Amino acid sequence: MAGEIFVEIQRVGNALRVAAIDGATAEEVVFQVPAKTPRADIDVLARAKLAWKLKREAVNKKRPDPGSGRRGIEV
């Protein structure tokens, strides 16, 4: 994932609440870090978490739908 990400940082007490959104897919991750965490570390963590989420979503889409276990057509 080398695309653009949007990062919003809000201070909450002694922590920072970070929301990161992938520009291409609009997937979002939210996490907290200590208030003294350098911005570069926050950006690296945001990219890693977004990459993990996108990979997880791709794996879940490949799995067949187990359905309800009942026969017939669901409406």
Side-chain angles (χ1 to χ4, degrees):
M1 184 179 86
E4 184 176 30
I5 64 168
F6 302 97
V7 178
E8 175 187 19
I9 301 173
Q10 295 177 334
R11 187 176 182 104
V12 180
N14 291 331
L16 298 175
R17 179 190 179 273
V18 181
I21 302 173
D22 180 46
T25 62
E27 286 291 337
E28 179 182 27
V29 293
V30 178
F31 57 95
Q32 292 183 349
V33 295
K36 294 182 180 182
T37 304
R39 176 61 193 256
D41 291 348
I42 292 172
D43 290 342
V44 169
L45 185 58
R47 284 195 183 276
K49 286 185 174 288
L50 280 168
W52 173 82
K53 184 173 183 181
L54 292 173
K55 182 179 177 184
R56 184 184 68 168
E57 292 293 324
V59 168
N60 287 339
K61 285 183 182 177
K62 291 180 184 176
R63 292 183 181 169
D65 183 19
S68 65
R70 296 182 287 172
R71 295 176 23 170
I73 299 173
E74 291 185 27
V75 179

